[in-house]
Every structure is written in structure tokens, then in C-alpha cells.
Amino acid sequence: MEKYHLKTGLRQHTILKDVYFTPPFNLVEVRENKKDLLLEVMVMSSSPGMLNDDHYDINIEVIDHSALNLQTQSYQRIYVSKKGTTQKMNVKVGKEAYFSYVPHPTVPHKGANYKTENTIYLKPSSTLVWGEILTCGRKFMDQNEEFTFTKYHAITQVYVDGRLIFKDNLYLMPEKINVQDMGLYEGFTHQGCLLYITPNADVNLKKASFAQILEGVKEIEFGISVLNQSALVIRLLGNSGELLYQILSKIRIGEDEIINKSIKELWEQN
Amino acid sequence: MGIKKNKNLTYTHSGGQLLHILHIADPTLPVGGFSHSNGLETYVQQGLVKDVQSTIKFIKAMLENNYKYNDGFLVSLAHAYTSAKDIEKLVALDIESHALKSPMEIREASVKMGTRLLKIYIEFIDSSLLEEFQHQVKEKSAYGYFPVVYGLITALLEIPMQDAIASFLYNATVAMMTNAVKLVPLGQMDGQRILFGTHTMIQEVTKDILNLDLEMLGLCNPAFDIRSMQHENLYSRLYMS
């Protein structure tokens, strides 16, 4: 089992308090401006991707009042596997804490059999930016590998104060369910989802500003809808992992900047 | 559990249940089913559903990829939890329904229909489980999602689970077909051909639901979600979803 655990700490700004990882992982602080209050950590991996029997175990704890952005280094490749590769990611975000995570797209190669479970525990005052992008596999190979993976199953559950408020259950088995059916991919090859939860902003205004970013993008279909007075969800279909990654990253970076500014103002007030 | 009113009315076993099924699955039941297109209006306005063939594709995909893993499966689970008198699981299922439906209008449509269905049947059925569920909806610790309430009531009426699922799917199919006849538009006879043509599919989907693993609950149909979300911004709308 390969794993990494990360817990934030708080001094003048958010710091890496506890960090633990096993090969192939390495966690590196990548905060460019050392004055920034938001901690930025990159997960590096010396492995080309998830191989047979790999099981990744990830634990993230963002303590009260701290702010973390977790980044990936490259696309997550999932190779052919009979028994299947799995990943479990648990995230805890404390009171008035912030966590943003828009990883690079996942690429399930031919024969890949993958299951991932993400469980996120929030407080009513936590802020979350959580993105996921799935590609159809290696698209531009000589032998086209679109949707030739065996199975891809991703379950994401988000709890606020112990109550389930969002669940995404993405299950693709191209041999059994035709992904091009109406209602599924409808001719597209990539999909993305972004969950945004904020106690501090007007979620309808956020919806309008995110929609503005999305409306300017060609060759995608998107939907954006409010979940409750502090949460919204964006769903995307497109033909390029890079494009979907750019769109969701743009939203993520915008929120990272807002949180950096607002923490700074809070510090200056006190 | 017992029937509150019409106590003098005695049914033969099968006849009684048949009438209960016909009643609860009747498309004219005043729960507001015909105010909702569940995304079909977007498909029609965008020219994706435009004739008999594309209507059949829509209904088939909705039944086989959406209803099977979502509302149809929810009916069967709610039915099972009710038979086991497990109010906690029933409420947790209702909360899970809320978490699984990301388009706002889909959530609102289902809660509107579910709470109206609850209101109708609370008058007829004497059951502490039903009262407890309604209480939790009132207290906002549950929502009252349509398939959950449907499963709850059909179980209390002692309608067998597979009939509950099949009648729910039939009711949903009639709604899709009727909406398509109005929106596309299609001829009345086209609509009837489509409906009759789905009977086998409904039976197969019902059979599949009975054997589904719990981890298959709520599988996402990205494009259905997207078109349902886009419905919020359509320029002219006849339907609420």
C-alpha cells in the first residue's frame, strides 16, 4: 500500500505540520510567494502511474483556520490491471478552513480497472474547491484507445457536520454501458466536475461569475447548478483533458487568490 | 398498518393490490408529474430529441442508464427498508437522494411530487412509520423524495416490490412519452407505439434493479445532469424542470 498523509499547522501562515509518505510519493511545498498565507503543496510521484494491485491511501487534514491547496504534478495514469487498482482519499477540513484540489485528469489506459473513493468531511464554515477530470484513455495513439479501459468507478461523498450533502457516483464500464448513449457522453470523450462550497460568498453570484468563464469556452457542454445556499456544482463534457483542466484550474486559482487576500485582511485587522 | 377509510370495502387479494397499483401509478394522480420534463425540454429545444427515433433513444437511455440506478433503485430500497420497519435507513436514503441529484430543478421536482404523494396517502394509511417519516419531513430532517415516498407507500400497501418498481417505471415512462408528444411534437398514436414498445424494457430494468449492488446506487449520467442544469437558463420554458 502506497500512502501519503498531510496535516496542516498554523503560525503566521499555514504550515506543513505533519507529513508522511511512502514511495513513490513525495510532498513538496511549492508556495512561490513566502508571504502567502495559503499553503501550496505538490504531490510528486516517481511512478509512471498506478500499476497492478496498487492501492493508494491518502489522508489530508486541514486544521481550523488554515488554508491548503494541494496540487498534482502530472496526469494520473492507470495501467492495465486484472485485480484492479484502488485509491482511498479522506479529507477533513476544519472550522473556517480552506481546501482546494483540482488534480490533473485521470487517464485509464486499455484494460485499466480502477476504483476510487473520496470522502470529505467539512464544518459549516469550511470552504472547499474540489475538481475531478476523467479522460477516455489515450486518445491520440496509433491504435485508438478511447474507452478501452475495463472499469472506472469513482465515488465522492461530502459531509457537512456529519450530514451527507453531495454524492457523485461515476461508474463506467464501456463494454457493458455504451458511453455514447444519450445522457452519458453524447459524443464527447472527457468529463469534469467541480464542487464549490463556501459559507462566505453569495452562491448565486458565484454561479454567474463561473458561468461567465465557462460561456467563453468553445467545444464544451456545461451545466452549473446551486446545491444549497452555500454550494454549487459544475459538470463539464469536452474533448480535451488539457482544456477542462485549464478551466477548472482557473476557477481554483481565482478562489485561492480570494482566500489569500481575505486571510491577509483578517491578520491585519487583528 | 391498516387502511383508514373504506374499511367496508373488501378486495380479493390480487384484485386489491392491483387497484392500489393502478391508483398510485395513475398519471393523473395530483402530484404534479406533468409540470416536469426532467431535462427533455432542453433536449427538444436543442434539437437533440426531434422525432420518434430520438424520443425512443431518450426514453431508453433514461430507463436503462438513469432510472435503473437512480429513482427505480431508490423505490426498491425504500420498499425494502419499509418492510423491515427501518426508519433510520429510510431517512438516510432520502438524504442520500438529495446528495445524489445535482441539478436543482430535478431535486425540487422530486421533493414536490414526493411530499404531495405523502400528503395523499397519509389520509388513507394508518402506519406509525409513515407518520414518523412525515414528521421528519416537517422537521426538515428528511426531504420526501418522490421515489423514496413511492417505495414507502407501496410497501405499506403490501404491493410486491417488483410491481412497485415496474409501476413506478411505467408512470415515469408515461410522463416522458406524454411530454414528448406535446414538446416534439409527436402524433398520439406514435406516443402509444412508444409506450407499448417499452413494456419489455420496463420488465428487464425491473429485474436488473432487483439484483443491483448497493454501490451502484446513484450512477451519474453527466449529459442528463448537464441538460437538466441548462434547463434553468432556457429562454422559454413550459416545464419546471
Side-chain angles (χ1 to χ4, degrees), chain A residues 115 153 163-169 171 177 181-184 186 191 207 221-227 233 235-237, chain B residues 43 58 61 65 95-96 99-100 102 104 107 141 143 215-227 229-230 232:
Chain A
K115 185 172 179 190
H153 193 178
R163 180 162 171 146
L164 182 69
I165 62 135
F166 177 77
K167 180 173 175 180
D168 202 20
N169 191 352
Y171 181 95
I177 300 173
D181 273 357
M182 207 178 263
L184 291 174
E186 298 187 354
Q191 73 148 312
K207 182 187 165 197
E221 279 289 336
F222 75 91
I224 176 165
S225 198
V226 167
L227 283 181
V233 62
R235 287 202 190 279
L236 296 168
L237 284 170
Chain B
Y43 276 89
F58 177 85
N65 301 335
I95 289 171
E96 193 167 356
L100 280 167
S102 53
M104 181 188 70
R107 282 198 312 277
S141 45
Y143 301 94
E215 68 167 19
M216 303 296 273
L217 175 63
L219 297 195
C220 171
N221 288 248
F224 279 142
D225 269 10
I226 287 174
R227 311 278 176 207
M229 290 174 176
Q230 289 173 343
E232 294 173 27

Side-chain angles (χ1 to χ4, degrees), chain B residues 46-236:
Chain B
Q46 294 180 348
L48 298 164
V49 172
K50 54 182 190 297
D51 50 22
V52 170
Q53 279 316 310
S54 46
T55 301
I56 292 172
K57 272 189 188 162
F58 177 85
I59 293 177
K60 186 173 185 287
M62 279 290 267
L63 284 171
E64 290 181 345
N65 301 335
N66 188 6
Y67 279 104
K68 189 200 286 185
Y69 304 106
N70 286 279
D71 283 10
F73 196 13
L74 287 168
V75 169
S76 81
L77 291 170
H79 190 284
Y81 298 156
T82 304
S83 301
K85 298 191 171 60
D86 195 333
I87 184 76
E88 274 176 31
K89 275 193 176 173
L90 203 59
V91 169
L93 186 70
D94 193 55
I95 289 171
E96 193 167 356
S97 311
H98 185 77
L100 280 167
K101 294 174 190 293
S102 53
M104 181 188 70
E105 292 182 345
I106 298 295
R107 282 198 312 277
E108 287 180 349
S110 187
V111 167
K112 263 188 192 142
M113 291 169 65
T115 47
R116 282 183 195 171
L117 189 66
L118 201 56
K119 216 173 156 189
I120 294 170
Y121 277 89
I122 199 104
E123 194 173 314
F124 307 140
I125 300 173
D126 188 11
S127 149
S128 55
L129 196 75
L130 189 60
E131 274 166 23
E132 174 59 25
F133 188 79
Q134 200 201 26
H135 176 72
Q136 299 232 18
V137 171
K138 258 188 199 156
E139 297 292 312
K140 296 202 158 71
S141 45
Y143 301 94
Y145 274 88
F146 185 57
V148 175
V149 177
Y150 196 96
L152 164 67
I153 289 168
T154 48
L156 292 174
L157 292 171
E158 291 173 21
I159 293 170
M161 186 191 280
Q162 63 203 64
D163 291 344
I165 302 167
S167 64
F168 182 90
L169 296 175
Y170 173 78
N171 172 282
T173 309
V174 173
M176 287 190 278
M177 180 277 288
T178 311
N179 291 338
V181 166
K182 279 188 207 156
L183 279 170
V184 175
L186 304 173
Q188 290 294 350
M189 205 47 217
D190 289 329
Q192 292 307 307
R193 279 185 207 108
I194 291 171
L195 187 59
F196 197 77
T198 59
H199 289 186
T200 315
M201 201 187 303
I202 287 174
Q203 277 181 306
E204 278 165 8
V205 171
T206 302
K207 218 192 304 168
D208 290 347
I209 288 172
L210 292 170
N211 296 310
L212 278 183
D213 198 285
L214 200 56
E215 68 167 19
M216 303 296 273
L217 175 63
L219 297 195
C220 171
N221 288 248
F224 279 142
D225 269 10
I226 287 174
R227 311 278 176 207
S228 296
M229 290 174 176
Q230 289 173 343
H231 188 267
E232 294 173 27
N233 302 315
L234 289 186
Y235 181 68
S236 69

